Amino acid sequence: MMFTLKARLALVTLACLSSFCCYSIAASKTPDATSSKTKATVTTVAGDLVAGKTKSEDNRCQECHGPDGNGLGPAAGAAGKFAKLAGQYPDYMQKQIQDFRSGLRKHDLMLLMAKSIDDTDAADISAHFANQKKMQGNGSGSNPTGKNLFISGDPARNILPCTSCHGVDGKGLDAAGQTIPIIGGQDWHYLERQLQDWRRGERHNSTGGVMNQIARQLTDTEIQALTDYIAGL
């Protein structure tokens, strides 16, 4: 990817919904599903994916995230700047919507969107995107620095390997009491922006603040390498 860090960060300033988190995120099943700073009960419900398809269009979700949840950006192709939602776990998406609505997660556009729909709408829209084919990378995840951080972490700096939660392919986990988001194949612009936000403390809705702790240890070069690798999975 022939972009400077400054150019890459400029492209991602409008990245929206899906998350990047190398730790478990509990949905409705666990009351402590936010950060070490704030605790709140998150309630999720099963959605209607047929209704969700219509609602995702009516509520303009598709304008940024695409009809199939694979994101749209400044140009066609892989260089999109909005989060992919394709195949993402519905409990996780509902939690993010509720976090935007409550202010636990900050994004001006997503705050407006989250407040314009109710929990039933959020569940239906999440069901629609969850029903799409899981996001996939282009197989280019060969960055050795990124691969090493993803698989092994760095114990000397208390950096957990991403695989410990997200799995070797970055496809996360959706089980009773625990939802870990899909990150493998996610857009690199979006992933990079999230890690930058975790590091600066602008985002802090991971369990126990673990993502802030990890991101603070990463350099700009390591963030680029890691997001290059993950996006290609």
Side-chain angles (χ1 to χ4, degrees):
M1 297 174 184
M2 304 301 292
F3 294 88
T4 65
L5 175 61
K6 182 177 180 181
R8 293 176 69 164
L9 290 178
L11 285 170
V12 297
T13 55
L14 294 178
C16 293
L17 177 59
S18 181
S19 176
F20 176 45
C21 175
C22 295
Y23 199 66
S24 63
I25 301 291
S28 63
K29 299 95 175 179
T30 306
D32 185 9
T34 57
S35 70
S36 58
K37 295 181 179 179
T38 308
K39 297 183 179 181
T41 299
V42 177
T43 302
T44 61
V45 297
D48 182 331
L49 61 91
V50 176
K53 180 178 181 180
T54 299
K55 291 178 179 182
S56 69
E57 184 174 6
D58 291 347
N59 289 284
R60 305 179 68 179
C61 308
Q62 296 185 18
E63 291 183 19
C64 293
H65 300 290
D68 62 356
N70 276 300
L72 296 175
K81 62 182 177 181
F82 296 111
K84 294 181 182 180
L85 304 181
Q88 186 61 268
Y89 301 121
D91 282 358
Y92 181 75
M93 288 186 278
Q94 289 184 58
K95 179 188 184 298
Q96 299 311 302
I97 291 170
Q98 292 183 34
D99 284 356
F100 282 122
R101 190 186 295 153
S102 70
L104 281 176
R105 188 173 174 185
K106 308 293 185 182
H107 192 284
D108 290 343
L109 176 59
M110 284 306 304
L111 173 62
L112 293 174
M113 299 298 287
K115 286 189 172 182
S116 71
I117 60 176
D118 61 23
D119 288 343
T120 299
D121 295 331
D124 294 344
I125 292 168
S126 297
H128 163 68
F129 286 118
N131 191 53
Q132 306 306 306
K133 183 179 179 180
K134 277 189 176 67
M135 62 187 82
Q136 295 290 333
N138 60 9
S140 64
S142 58
N143 188 302
T145 299
K147 182 177 182 179
N148 183 63
L149 284 168
F150 187 81
I151 294 174
S152 303
D154 187 347
R157 292 185 289 163
N158 295 317
I159 298 175
L160 296 172
C162 303
T163 55
S164 64
C165 294
H166 295 282
V168 294
D169 58 358
K171 300 310 178 190
L173 174 69
D174 188 27
Q178 189 176 51
T179 300
I180 301 171
I182 298 168
I183 58 173
Q186 179 60 268
D187 180 68
W188 67 264
H189 306 77
Y190 175 78
L191 293 173
E192 188 171 280
R193 174 59 188 266
Q194 298 314 300
L195 279 173
Q196 294 284 353
D197 284 353
W198 292 119
R199 189 173 66 178
R200 288 190 293 262
E202 292 179 12
R203 183 176 175 186
H204 48 80
N205 67 333
S206 65
T207 302
V210 67
M211 281 306 304
N212 303 90
Q213 298 166 29
I214 292 172
R216 279 196 293 268
Q217 305 302 318
L218 296 172
T219 66
D220 288 343
T221 299
E222 288 172 329
I223 287 176
Q224 289 181 29
L226 189 56
T227 56
D228 282 352
Y229 177 75
I230 295 170
L233 292 175

